[in-house]
Amino acid sequence: MAKIVIVGAGVVGLGAALLLCRDGHEVAVLERDAGAPPLRADEIWGAWERKGVSQFRLPHFFLARYGRLLDAELPEVKKALVAAGTVCLNPVLNAPEALKGPAREEDGVFGCISGRRCVVEAAVASVAGRAPRLEIRRGTAVAGLITGPSAGGGVPHVAGVRLGTGEEITADLVVDMTGRRSPLPRWLAAIGARPPHDELDDCGFIYYGRHFRSAGGGIPPALGGLLMHLGTISALTLPADNGTWSVTLVTSAKDRALRVLHDPVVWEKAVRSLPLVAHWLDGQPIDDRVMAMAGIEDRHRNLVVGGAPVATGVVAVGDAWACSNPTVGRGASIGMLQAVLLRDTIAGIGLDDPWQFACSFHHATAEIVEPWYRDTLAADRHRLAEIDALIEGKEYRPADPGWEVSQALTAAALKDPDCLRGFVKVAMVLSREADVLAGPGMLEKVTALGGDWRDEPIPAPSREELLSTVADG
Ligand SMILES: Cc1cc2nc3c(=O)[nH]c(=O)nc-3n(C[C@H](O)[C@H](O)[C@H](O)COP(=O)(O)OP(=O)(O)OC[C@H]3O[C@@H](n4cnc5c(N)ncnc54)[C@H](O)[C@@H]3O)c2cc1C
């Protein structure tokens, strides 16, 4: 059994820690932010300081893949989430009878967890706080890596971490789970490692979100999907825990005319102008302003470059490995998928040969996890280009049949039970689109039912009407 240091106690970092200690490893989680989560959901929202996670109070939703992984691997976390007031929501079972058709055996897989990010993280932390062989040290900033004898090729071998206080903690494996702004390249440079291969770009979207609470504990009915692309804006309406929910408008970062959406009065007017979304304002706002987030990066990091690890004894998992546009809510699902892979790679080949371990984990991640990241990126690039075209008053017609069929699947999902389930499988990170479309007769059905998606009316004001609404703000 190994001694493993995880740097970062975020929502995925804690999940990974639980998986590893359940396998018998001694796990230390080192977290820079000092505050431990309060016990009650309303205190968690108001009082838990988490400067280390910029998106801590921005809308989150935990997709079916995350729920499935918890059911299979960490059922006690699922129990804690229910006890904390999160809601299990099933987009197929909750669809109108006429659309979903008779219930199917597979329908249970679509269960998602709706809860505010901070409430979900606190529930994971409560289980982690009681786990054997798992120590969580909060208020403990890691400042760099320490090295031991090279495991091969003159490549530095990481043998632990150095804290900001100068204290050193040794480990058989250091797992960087410091999130989107991971300082790993700097730490690697300081031990003489070659730089990792980073792909980095602004994801290109801006978020303007607010949370609400109902007086009676209910949640507004969904009149459309959780995520709706409505011309040059997208609307996210996410049920959360304990009678709360969030409403978010997502725009292109290039869309300067809509930057006024950070003003609560303008934001509210814009939301009210959307017929399928306006009723989500019927509650008490629980944040005092519109929470805006821009400059969100798409970033992917490879620690194996040119066939050789840049260092052994260290891996990056969760957002520290890769992060992308969060509109589609995939971060926790993809992160936990990779955390399970980490646990399995350690169980499969062990850590005795650090070089082999680094290469195996890299290859397994590239094969099993990375495709989800690439799919997300490809869809984002199209959506941004579509917004750009619509702002210029043009129709978006890329020469990419993949995008056409993707739009057709979205339209067909509102017309047919098989297409609904296929669409939800992709959205929930359960199946990739190509696999759904490869099902018997699916491509033909999607094309027949959704091929005319361009003719469907968009349930939202035109660009001109939207601009006039926000200009009057
Ligand atoms: C606006 C927005 C909305 C999102 N919505 C969703 C959603 O709906 N669903 C979803 O699944 N995902 C969503 N995501 C993504 C999700 O938030 C991330 O995937 C998730 O937080 C990743 O968890 P993590 O544990 O890898 O990292 P994080 O949660 O970012 O945690 C990193 C931790 O590392 C700590 N740390 C950093 N540096 C150090 C150091 N030097 N020493 C010690 N500790 C350190 C930080 O304090 C922090 O606690 C969203 C992201 C954004 C930006």
Side-chain angles (χ1 to χ4, degrees):
M1 290 300 118
K3 185 177 171 197
I4 298 174
V5 161
I6 292 183
V7 189
V11 71
V12 180
L14 290 169
L18 278 166
L19 291 171
L20 292 168
C21 76
R22 294 291 140 92
D23 247 25
H25 305 294
E26 291 290 333
V27 182
V29 181
L30 310 176
E31 167 56 48
R32 187 172 51 195
D33 288 350
L39 289 180
R40 290 184 21 204
D42 48 349
E43 291 171 355
I44 292 167
W45 175 260
W48 192 13
E49 275 292 331
R50 289 288 277 113
K51 288 201 164 63
V53 183
S54 326
Q55 69 271 30
F56 196 60
R57 285 190 177 73
L58 277 157
H60 274 64
F61 189 76
F62 293 82
L63 301 178
R65 184 59 173 261
Y66 182 77
R68 294 269 294 160
L69 288 168
L70 292 189
D71 284 338
E73 304 284 351
L74 300 170
E76 65 281 34
V77 170
K78 194 73 177 291
K79 260 197 214 154
L81 286 167
V82 173
T86 70
V87 179
C88 188
L89 193 142
N90 187 313
V92 169
L93 293 179
N94 297 348
E97 211 64 50
L99 173 57
K100 71 183 173 199
R104 300 180 187 177
E105 214 170 294
E106 65 169 351
D107 287 347
V109 303
F110 300 115
C112 311
I113 296 158
S114 67
R116 285 168 292 175
R117 153 72 191 245
C118 55
V119 172
V120 170
E121 187 174 309
V124 183
S126 72
V127 177
R130 297 190 296 269
R133 296 177 296 280
L134 171 51
E135 183 195 13
I136 305 174
R137 286 177 61 176
R138 296 187 186 272
T140 305
V142 169
L145 305 169
I146 55 174
T147 52
S150 173
V155 162
H157 177 68
V158 173
V161 294
R162 189 174 356 88
L163 306 185
T165 55
E167 182 189 346
E168 293 188 347
I169 301 175
T170 57
D172 300 310
L173 181 69
V174 172
V175 187
D176 173 21
M177 301 203 68
T178 56
R180 294 187 156 252
R181 287 174 290 174
S182 154
L184 188 58
R186 198 162 31 83
W187 292 349
L188 287 169
I191 59 166
R194 288 180 300 138
H197 183 261
D198 275 13
E199 285 171 38
L200 183 67
D201 211 350
D202 186 331
C203 87
F205 296 98
I206 304 188
Y207 288 74
Y208 303 93
R210 283 197 97 167
H211 284 82
F212 294 83
R213 182 193 299 285
S214 66
I219 287 190
L223 303 181
L226 298 172
L227 169 64
M228 289 180 278
H229 297 313
L230 303 169
T232 55
I233 53 173
S234 302
L236 263 172
T237 45
L238 303 179
D241 56 279
N242 300 292
T244 63
W245 64 88
S246 62
V247 181
T248 305
L249 297 180
V250 187
T251 70
S252 162
K254 286 192 208 153
D255 195 348
R256 298 194 156 270
L258 293 185
R259 295 259 174 108
V260 284
L261 287 173
H262 67 80
D263 177 331
V265 176
V266 178
W267 183 87
E268 188 175 327
K269 279 182 131 188
V271 176
R272 285 216 185 280
S273 75
L274 306 173
L276 301 186
V277 185
H279 67 292
W280 286 87
L281 292 176
D282 297 342
Q284 184 64 33
I286 55 172
D287 27 31
D288 52 6
R289 61 196 168 93
V290 174
M291 319 283 261
M293 191 163 173
I296 302 170
E297 286 169 349
D298 287 329
R299 183 182 49 68
H300 174 264
R301 175 163 295 155
N302 263 340
L303 296 181
V304 173
V305 180
V310 298
T312 55
V314 63
V315 289
V317 173
D319 275 19
W321 163 70
C323 48
S324 62
N325 162 34
T327 320
V328 284
R330 291 181 158 191
S333 295
I334 295 179
M336 278 307 287
L337 190 60
Q338 195 193 13
V340 168
L341 200 62
L342 175 69
R343 192 263 326 261
D344 292 347
T345 310
I346 297 173
I349 65 164
L351 294 167
D352 290 344
D353 182 341
W355 184 285
Q356 192 201 0
F357 173 76
C359 294
S360 297
F361 183 60
H362 164 77
H363 290 306
T365 296
E367 189 191 349
I368 295 168
V369 195
E370 189 173 333
W372 291 105
Y373 172 78
R374 298 286 163 206
D375 287 352
T376 311
L377 229 57
D380 287 353
R381 294 293 170 261
H382 276 300
R383 174 64 184 143
L384 276 176
E386 181 186 45
I387 293 177
D388 286 348
L390 293 174
I391 289 174
E392 288 176 23
K394 294 182 190 151
E395 201 174 46
Y396 182 57
R397 282 194 180 270
D400 177 0
W403 190 73
E404 287 290 332
V405 80
S406 193
Q407 301 305 105
L409 176 61
T410 308
L414 297 173
K415 298 176 183 165
D416 172 81
D418 293 332
C419 297
L420 169 71
R421 285 169 176 80
F423 170 80
V424 174
K425 278 181 191 165
V426 178
M428 295 292 138
V429 192
L430 295 169
S431 301
R432 295 183 65 208
E433 196 164 276
D435 296 330
V436 164
L437 294 170
M442 272 304 279
L443 183 58
E444 294 73 16
K445 198 180 236 189
V446 164
T447 312
L449 294 174
D452 59 356
W453 62 270
R454 280 196 170 79
D455 301 333
E456 305 276 351
I458 296 176
S462 66
R463 173 77 182 168
E464 291 68 34
E465 288 164 334
L466 177 65
L467 290 183
S468 138
T469 302
V470 301
D472 289 350

